[in-house]
Amino acid sequence: MWGLLLALAAFAPAVGQGLGTPGTSVLGLAPSATTEARISTPAPRSSPAQPPAGKNNGTSQQHVRIRIIKKKKVIMKKRKKLTHPGPLVTAKPVATTISPAGALDLPKEQEPDCPPLGLESLRVLDNQLDASSSQSFGLGPHRGRLNIQSGLEDGDLYDGAWCAEQQDAEPWLQVDARHPTRFSGIITQGRNSIWRYDWVTSYKVQFSNDSRTWWGSRNRSSGMDMVFPANSDPETSVLNLLPEPQVARFVRLLPQTWLQGGAACLRAEILACPVSDPNGLFPEAPALGSSDPLDFQHHNYKAMRKLMKQVNEQCPNITRIYSIGKSQQGLKLYVMEMSDKPGEHELGEPEVRYVAGMHGNEALGRELLLLLMQFLCHEFLRGDPRVTRLLTEMRIHLLPSMNPDGYEIAFRRGSELVGWAEGRWTQQGIDLNHNFADLNTPLWEAEDDGLVPDTVPNHHLPLPTYYTLPNATVAPETRAVIEWMKRIPFVLSANLHGGELVVSYPFDMTRTPWAARELTPTPDDAVFRWLSTVYAGTNRAMQDPDRRPCHSQDFSLYGNVINGADWHTVPGSMNDFSYLHTNCFEITVELSCDKFPHKSELPQEWENNKDSLLTYLEQVRMGIAGIVRDKDTELGIADAVIAVDGINHDVTTAWGGDYWRLLTPGDYMVTASAEGYHSVTRSCRVTFEEGPVPCNFHLTKTPKQRLRELLAAGAKVPPDLRRRLERLRGQKD
């Protein structure tokens, strides 16, 4: 989840003005029927899964396999005056290759055949990027990366593209691959900005082995330099394959025309395949891979079901597949359960979950959970002691795709062409991470009135009446997850997102109304910071000291963890709802700068996150756990309240009387209470040794409760109970 700010204003520029009509080349040349078949494809169908009205749905029919995105930027300040699109500006006379029919002669096919070089994923370092000029540091060549997002301010260090100086007559952006590389294609976008329109509309491509001698990409038939059509809006990813792949070390993009009133600004990704270096003239490129025998590819809905079934068949004794509901389009929300006794809650065994795919275009979390279930199965069969202990001491639930409708849209576009936002929303246009009930506001209002916890509980807050109405705007995916939360006594969870490298923890919503960001900790802030630090501290990418920020914030300065509300406010988040409506402690993990990494990068992403995923699950052992029983019958007491002195947030027992209370090391006074029973308080010490620390309770029924039960059973009241009741009446008199 990239930080889309509080939805107070949606920005969607009206693009394409002054750029000609569909079916016309960017240079105003009318293509013939023959050329039209080669360079034009129908615009992608607008899908109902896109966000509500107000988002641009512009398409162009002159480019091949154009990918449309929908951009939503929200600001909390007065918007500056926008510069509206105008006619094109030409950098210099363009030697355009024209077919006999008068149309641009483009490659016959537009299908990527090489993976991305790594501008978006940051595998290409800042010092590998160079440019003829830059308007400012924040618009330098290091910002010319596909899908990079700007900050709120123009002119800061984190702008949304590379932009050449206005007086630069021959601008260029250069990438050093550092090794002989087979370049096969270019993907471009315009500038990401809420203040300006800037995009390049055509460009040339040149190559070099020494950065001094250059040659261009030429047309097959005429031999002249190719001029490639580029963008007609800021956010659509436009792919151009080279007429002939070129082997070189350096590649340059030379903008030829761009929007009048704007500047030569672009974001790019380079499609490139490595080539052999038998003489060892160049340093060996770092290997991206994993030794685990797993299925490293992207899985659509059908392939995901097939893979989950294969894991279940391979490990039938420790796995169970079940569905918690359906999406708006009827796709099932499948969960893989993994435990030594799947299908049942074992007394004293905690329940944990991972959820991915809340935003359908953030695909890495989905693949990591599919890889995790394969890994756990494989390692359990091998007898790995760590995995065996995980599966025997807890019950793990993996939901790889909470928004399958959105994912299918993103999957069809492809990892490099889906853009930044397409597929994020559900089929109904709902952002699921803003769709859970806001329980923060009623809790905080009750706290301000001094009603918590005596009148209003500090835990398990009920759903607001408006949220339960038949016409409430609640997605079926959200309702399914809420019912899932109610059925299973989850203790620990993580919500996997993409688009950044950071771990955020509740609260996600600011306490001050309408504040865009504000530190808003929970009563369990120490626990949440511990959990977040555990994941971030074991994540290879987050711990890389040389990595650069993804977009506009350097989270490494804060240990790669942040309070969600202090980043940007998110009303109705799943994390806050989980904490206030259930016993479950949940954090959000932003896994990668690239929301939808290429399949070739999945092995490395797995290695980056494998230990983090396992170590985080093990944190369910942190704190205290036990069973609250009836002293007379030894039966467990359901819904007993476990309160810790000094922490204004309680948890409750499951139906068997068992409970788990996550706590950091220290000494605590813990009270167990239940309706009809006398409360019991005892001291519990949490140490740094692996727990959880046993902290059991036996509660005695109150005389009033015993009397109720006896009368309900038609029995006579025992003499001792009668005497106690008489004494109680006398005390009242």
Side-chain angles (χ1 to χ4, degrees), residues 282-350:
F282 296 89
E284 185 176 353
L288 298 177
S290 172
S291 60
D292 294 327
L294 309 176
D295 185 15
F296 293 105
Q297 61 178 312
H298 288 288
H299 298 79
N300 63 8
Y301 180 74
K302 183 177 179 180
M304 181 189 73
R305 287 195 309 173
K306 181 179 179 180
L307 178 62
M308 294 177 72
K309 183 178 179 181
Q310 290 173 346
V311 173
N312 177 242
E313 291 173 348
Q314 187 178 3
C315 295
N317 295 329
I318 61 166
T319 62
R320 180 177 73 101
I321 301 172
Y322 64 95
S323 171
I324 62 172
K326 292 183 179 181
S327 70
Q328 179 68 20
Q329 286 194 313
L331 302 183
K332 291 184 178 180
L333 308 183
Y334 285 112
V335 176
M336 175 67 79
E337 176 191 336
M338 306 193 76
S339 172
D340 59 338
K341 293 183 180 179
E344 62 177 284
H345 172 73
E346 297 180 67
L347 189 68
E349 189 168 292

Side-chain angles (χ1 to χ4, degrees), residues 152-283:
L152 281 179
E153 298 292 339
D154 273 348
D156 64 10
L157 299 181
Y158 303 105
D159 225 313
W162 161 70
C163 290
E165 292 180 349
Q166 295 283 358
Q167 63 269 27
D168 190 345
E170 298 184 0
W172 50 261
L173 175 68
Q174 174 180 304
V175 182
D176 178 4
R178 290 188 171 174
H179 305 87
T181 302
R182 177 178 174 266
F183 297 108
S184 65
I186 311 292
I187 302 172
T188 59
Q189 293 171 317
R191 177 181 178 180
N192 175 254
S193 173
I194 59 175
W195 309 116
R196 289 184 56 86
Y197 298 96
D198 291 300
W199 60 80
V200 169
T201 54
S202 67
Y203 61 89
K204 291 183 178 181
V205 184
Q206 292 182 346
F207 308 92
S208 175
N209 287 318
D210 58 8
S211 76
R212 293 188 296 274
T213 303
W214 295 85
W215 71 93
S217 179
R218 296 184 179 275
N219 179 272
R220 289 191 185 99
S221 57
S222 68
M224 297 179 64
D225 285 350
M226 285 286 298
V227 177
F228 297 92
N231 298 84
S232 57
D233 65 72
E235 296 298 337
T236 300
S237 298
V238 176
L239 165 67
N240 282 291
L241 293 185
L242 303 178
E244 296 289 345
Q246 301 290 319
V247 176
R249 173 175 169 175
F250 299 88
V251 60
R252 271 185 183 177
L253 307 185
L254 297 90
Q256 301 296 296
T257 59
W258 53 90
L259 201 66
Q260 186 174 17
C265 298
L266 61 80
R267 295 173 286 166
E269 182 62 87
I270 311 297
L271 302 183
C273 295
V275 298
S276 60
D277 180 22
N279 297 322
L281 299 177
F282 296 89

Side-chain angles (χ1 to χ4, degrees), residues 184 273 387 449 509 590 656 672 695:
S184 65
C273 295
V387 170
D449 294 337
M509 179 181 174
E590 300 284 349
C695 196

Side-chain angles (χ1 to χ4, degrees), residues 428-430 434-436 466-467 469-476 478-479:
Q428 297 171 290
I430 294 174
H434 292 263
N435 195 228
F436 287 81
Y466 75 86
Y467 197 81
L469 296 176
N471 61 347
T473 307
V474 183
T478 307
R479 293 189 188 277

Side-chain angles (χ1 to χ4, degrees), residues 686-712:
V686 178
T687 67
F688 283 95
E689 296 180 6
E690 207 169 63
V693 176
C695 196
N696 298 306
F697 293 88
H698 284 83
L699 304 187
T700 304
K701 290 189 180 74
T702 62
K704 188 175 182 180
Q705 178 64 22
R706 290 178 62 190
L707 178 60
R708 281 200 203 99
E709 294 177 359
L710 289 172
L711 294 176

